Amino acid sequence: MGQHIDIFAPEIELYQEIQRLKREKNAVLLSHYYQRPEIQDVADYVGDSLDLSRAAASTDADIIVFAGVHFMAETAKILNPTKKVLLPDLAAGCSLADSCPPEAFEPFVKAHPNHVVVTYVNCSAEIKAMSDYVCTSSNALKIISAIPGTVPIIFAPDKNLGSYLIEQTGRDMLLWDGSCMVHEAFCIDKLLDLWRMHPDAKVIAHPESEKHILKIANYIGSTSAMIAYAKHHPKEKYIVATEAGILHEMQKEVPNTILIPAPAMEDNHCACSECAFMKTNTLQKTYRCLRDETPEVEVRETIVEKALIPIERMLKLSK
């Protein structure tokens, strides 16, 4: 057993200590693309929600440290009810998940009993438990296309992703009125000004973005799909319309490509759109969480049983 180090130790010491603790405790560290760069660099898996769901479903680790937001750690717990799932900071929430409270969504679903309920993974465990299918931005088209065309669909909670799916599939889905504040923060006027400064740049956007952003995008895809697109077209210049944390991994994959974050309405230090919830996690909190094995994310057994069904359907359809 090593000695505890101070949480304010230099980054390299924290990095080394996290690596040691992972080996000692048989722990795995999962990080979303939107996490701070130093957390991504020490993680065992870095990915989007689908990648990380697959990693959580297949891990043989005893402890899962999820550097992401609360609904992601909940999903890992649902897939691994007997394992210990930790979140560096329980305050790492999600504006999109918050926009769909269970006490409001339940009567909405009951009012449309003939509808199949498809929920985007960015929602609480309670919402997943009310669902027939869960999807991510990577596989949403595949999930919707797998449902017979005569079956009416409720799609929640993201209205922007839902609108995009309606356009792509022609399905007349009933949308919940929810959204992600990060993807609604992009300023179309600033984006057009930026594009005028870089007329040779391609705009790539996440489908959670608003319709006017998607309308001018050259490519629309999930975080992992945007990275893959840049890898396949590395000689292009890109204006990237999603949470700015993606640029760290994307730049690793295309080191000689110019990547420019799409501008947000608010003037901030990065002139981009950042998720304050995602950035709540720090390397210090990640170390302390692994060291002390807290805070732990718990999900009620009855919720786990119900929520596991639509998640497993998603994973099966995504193979």
Side-chain angles (χ1 to χ4, degrees):
M1 297 284 288
Q3 296 295 315
H4 286 176
I5 65 171
D6 190 282
I7 61 167
F8 299 109
E11 191 173 292
I12 186 64
E13 289 185 29
L14 290 170
Y15 181 96
Q16 292 168 347
E17 193 67 2
I18 288 169
Q19 297 287 36
R20 181 188 68 78
L21 287 169
K22 286 192 296 179
R23 293 191 299 269
E24 185 180 286
K25 295 172 179 276
N26 187 28
V28 65
L29 175 57
L30 310 180
S31 170
H32 195 274
Y33 287 126
Y34 297 165
Q35 290 292 289
R36 296 171 185 269
E38 59 270 23
I39 294 178
Q40 294 186 47
D41 288 343
V42 76
D44 299 292
Y45 298 93
V46 180
D48 63 8
S49 295
L50 179 58
D51 296 331
L52 297 176
S53 294
R54 286 172 170 152
S58 61
T59 185
D60 58 1
D62 297 316
I63 297 173
I64 299 171
V65 180
F66 212 120
V69 292
H70 195 268
F71 77 80
M72 296 178 180
E74 278 187 332
T75 303
K77 184 64 178 180
I78 291 164
L79 289 163
N80 299 275
T82 62
K83 296 182 187 295
K84 184 175 283 190
V85 177
L86 309 174
L87 183 65
D89 191 329
L90 287 179
C94 171
S95 60
L96 179 53
D98 290 345
S99 72
C100 188
E103 63 273 15
F105 191 61
E106 184 175 17
F108 181 77
V109 171
K110 286 182 176 177
H112 304 90
N114 297 323
H115 287 60
V116 165
V117 179
V118 180
T119 51
Y120 188 33
V121 71
N122 299 40
C123 63
S124 68
E126 288 82 4
I127 297 297
K128 290 181 177 72
M130 300 180 205
S131 308
D132 298 294
Y133 295 87
V134 169
C135 72
T136 72
S137 53
S138 294
N139 61 21
L141 280 170
K142 184 179 285 188
I143 301 297
I144 297 300
S145 299
I147 299 170
T150 55
V151 177
I153 296 172
I154 288 173
F155 186 85
D158 193 279
K159 63 183 179 183
N160 293 323
L161 177 58
S163 294
Y164 172 73
L165 293 170
I166 288 171
E167 285 188 1
Q168 295 297 304
T169 64
R171 299 294 289 268
D172 184 21
M173 299 191 295
L174 184 60
L175 304 182
W176 179 262
D177 188 18
S179 61
C180 166
M181 65 182 186
V182 172
H183 289 98
E184 289 208 325
F186 296 117
C187 178
I188 186 65
D189 292 334
K190 287 184 179 180
L191 179 54
L192 290 172
D193 287 342
L194 183 63
W195 181 75
R196 289 185 191 102
M197 293 168 58
H198 302 275
D200 55 335
K202 285 190 173 180
V203 177
I204 56 176
H206 193 282
E208 283 182 50
S209 302
E210 292 180 291
K211 189 173 290 187
H212 53 257
I213 300 293
L214 299 183
K215 191 175 289 187
I216 66 168
N218 300 101
Y219 177 76
I220 300 168
S222 67
T223 44
S224 60
M226 282 193 278
I227 291 173
Y229 185 83
K231 283 176 67 177
H232 285 119
H233 307 86
K235 294 183 180 179
E236 301 286 352
K237 180 193 291 187
Y238 296 103
I239 297 172
V240 184
T242 191
E243 209 276 353
I246 193 179
L247 298 177
H248 180 65
E249 186 66 23
M250 187 180 281
Q251 198 73 78
K252 282 185 184 179
E253 297 290 344
V254 285
N256 300 314
T257 300
I258 296 173
L259 304 174
I260 307 165
M265 286 176 273
E266 180 185 355
D267 292 322
N268 55 31
H269 73 283
C270 69
C272 65
S273 189
E274 285 190 317
C275 176
F277 291 119
M278 283 284 188
K279 301 304 191 273
T280 297
N281 297 317
T282 64
L283 196 66
Q284 290 84 359
K285 290 175 184 177
T286 303
Y287 161 68
R288 186 168 53 196
C289 154
L290 186 52
R291 182 193 71 189
D292 301 338
E293 299 184 19
T294 187
E296 187 172 357
V297 172
E298 299 281 6
V299 181
R300 291 201 317 273
E301 188 176 338
T302 53
I303 296 294
V304 168
E305 290 173 358
K306 292 177 181 177
L308 185 59
I309 296 168
I311 293 172
E312 287 188 331
R313 283 176 181 155
M314 172 189 76
L315 293 173
K316 185 176 181 182
L317 285 171
S318 300
K319 286 181 179 176

